[in-house]
Amino acid sequence: MALTVTDSNFEELLSDGKPLVVDFWAEWCGPCRMLSPIIEELASEYAGRVNIGKIDVDNNNEIVAQFGIRNIPTILLFKNRELADKCVGALSKASLVEKIEKLL
């Protein structure tokens, strides 16, 4: 299951030592809802190797502002506490797997 990322736990997850993949989404966003099952599958498949989570843009303004998120879905991928990649819009599972594998 994907982690719930919030303004308050983002730094803790980022400092965990594992790569971090964060899906910026909202309940009302159609493409976000289409991407959600893929995020959940990847969270299960990469459990223990990569932290994969979702952050609700409507309830977490600090992180949204910090990274200048203007469109959703947006996926940020972090390695060693640094932003390694950014994807805007819905992606295929294969595309996300390719990006996650580069983090490992």
Side-chain angles (χ1 to χ4, degrees), residues 3-103:
L3 302 166
T4 299
V5 181
T6 64
D7 286 339
S8 60
N9 73 356
F10 176 77
E11 278 299 322
E12 178 183 332
L13 291 170
L14 193 60
S15 300
D16 181 78
K18 295 181 205 136
L20 175 63
V21 177
V22 182
D23 172 25
F24 288 78
W25 73 287
E27 186 68 40
W28 47 264
C29 168
C32 298
R33 288 196 308 270
M34 289 174 20
L35 186 60
S36 189
I38 294 170
I39 296 296
E40 292 295 337
E41 285 176 34
L42 292 172
S44 294
E45 291 171 16
Y46 285 94
R49 296 189 295 156
V50 179
N51 287 328
I52 299 178
K54 299 166 61 83
I55 186 164
D56 184 341
V57 297
D58 290 330
N59 297 315
N60 296 281
N61 297 327
E62 289 177 30
I63 300 302
V64 171
Q66 180 180 342
F67 291 102
I69 304 301
R70 300 211 185 277
N71 299 303
I72 54 173
T74 292
I75 297 174
L76 299 184
L77 299 97
F78 298 88
K79 182 175 182 173
N80 299 324
R81 296 187 49 85
E82 298 291 323
L83 182 61
D85 203 349
K86 177 179 181 175
C87 314
V88 179
L91 295 171
S92 68
K93 182 176 178 181
S95 296
L96 277 171
V97 165
E98 183 179 318
K99 291 179 179 296
I100 291 169
E101 287 294 324
K102 288 180 182 177
L103 299 175

